[in-house]
Amino acid sequence: MEGTNKEQAKTFIFRKAEAADADHIWEILQQAIERRRLDGSRQWQDGYPNPDTVKNDLENGWGFVLVDDEGVIAYSALILNDEPAYNQIDGAWLTLGDFLVVHRVAVSDRVAGKGIATRLFKAIEQYAIAQHIPSIKVDTIFDNPAMLRVLEKLDYIYCGEVILFGAPRKAFEKVLG
C-alpha cells in the first residue's frame, strides 16, 4: 500500500526534449532495444534507432520526454504531417487532414510495466489537442504486444498496414476531440 501512495504522489512532466537529455534518451532507447531483442523481435535490431537518430530528433524539435521526480523515464518523437510511409497504406486512414506522427516510443527499465507508455500517450494526446492537431497516427511492428495493448486500451483504430524500413507495420489512428 505504501508503494502505491508513493507512485500516486509522483509528479510527471511531459516536455520537449533538450540537448542535455540526449544521453538519458539514448540509454532508454538502448534498454528498449534490448527488451525487444529478449522478446525475440527483430524490431530495432538493425542499428536503428541510434545516437544519430536522437541527435536528429533533437535538432528538428521532434524529441519529447516524460519526466518524473527522478528524471527522464520515457521518450518519443513527434512529427507533424510527415511520414512518407503513411502515404501508401494497405487500408485507409480515418482522416486526411493534419496529424501528429508518434515514433520511437521507449520507456525506461526503471518504470517498465507500470503504465508509463499509457501515461506518455495520454500526454501526447493532450499536447496534440493543445496544438490544434486533430489526429494522431502511429505504427508498430506486429510482434510488439505491449505497444498493441496500449493502442487498444487508448482506443486507437487499426487502419491497415504500412511499410516502414522494408517491413510491414500495423498502422493506427486516433481522432482527437
Side-chain angles (χ1 to χ4, degrees):
M1 191 70 160
E2 187 176 316
T4 304
N5 291 337
K6 186 177 178 183
E7 284 297 315
Q8 290 173 349
K10 280 191 176 183
T11 301
F12 295 93
I13 297 169
F14 178 73
R15 62 170 172 77
K16 190 167 277 208
E18 303 163 354
D21 298 321
D23 289 343
H24 298 292
I25 292 166
W26 177 233
E27 179 181 344
I28 289 169
L29 282 166
Q30 286 178 297
Q31 292 169 359
I33 290 165
E34 179 64 5
R35 278 197 306 274
R36 298 301 299 137
R37 186 187 71 76
L38 292 173
D39 288 344
S41 176
R42 288 183 288 173
Q43 183 182 25
W44 291 1
Q45 303 304 305
D46 60 359
Y48 165 90
N50 55 54
D52 288 338
T53 310
V54 174
K55 182 179 181 220
N56 188 53
D57 285 350
L58 296 178
E59 287 173 354
N60 286 295
W62 298 337
F64 284 79
V65 292
L66 186 66
V67 180
D68 72 3
D69 300 335
E70 298 174 44
V72 176
I73 57 171
Y75 177 73
S76 66
L78 304 180
I79 306 166
L80 181 62
N81 295 331
D82 189 20
E83 176 46 75
Y86 288 6
N87 294 333
Q88 300 282 332
I89 184 169
D90 183 6
W93 294 111
L94 302 175
T95 66
L96 299 175
D98 288 339
F99 60 94
L100 193 63
V101 177
V102 180
H103 278 319
R104 296 180 279 290
V105 173
V107 172
S108 168
D109 281 351
R110 180 169 61 84
V111 295
K114 295 184 178 178
I116 296 303
T118 299
R119 186 179 290 271
L120 175 66
F121 265 90
K122 286 179 179 179
I124 291 168
E125 291 172 12
Q126 290 305 310
Y127 171 80
I129 290 167
Q131 301 297 313
H132 307 288
I133 302 167
S135 86
I136 295 175
K137 294 179 180 178
V138 60
D139 67 86
T140 190
I141 199 160
F142 288 76
D143 68 357
N144 191 339
M147 180 61 71
L148 291 168
R149 276 193 305 273
V150 169
L151 296 173
E152 180 182 348
K153 178 180 182 178
L154 295 176
D155 299 321
Y156 282 73
I157 305 297
Y158 175 70
C159 295
E161 287 184 27
V162 295
I163 303 295
L164 204 63
F165 300 110
R169 306 292 174 110
K170 289 183 133 186
F172 297 83
E173 183 174 7
K174 183 171 184 176
V175 179
L176 304 170

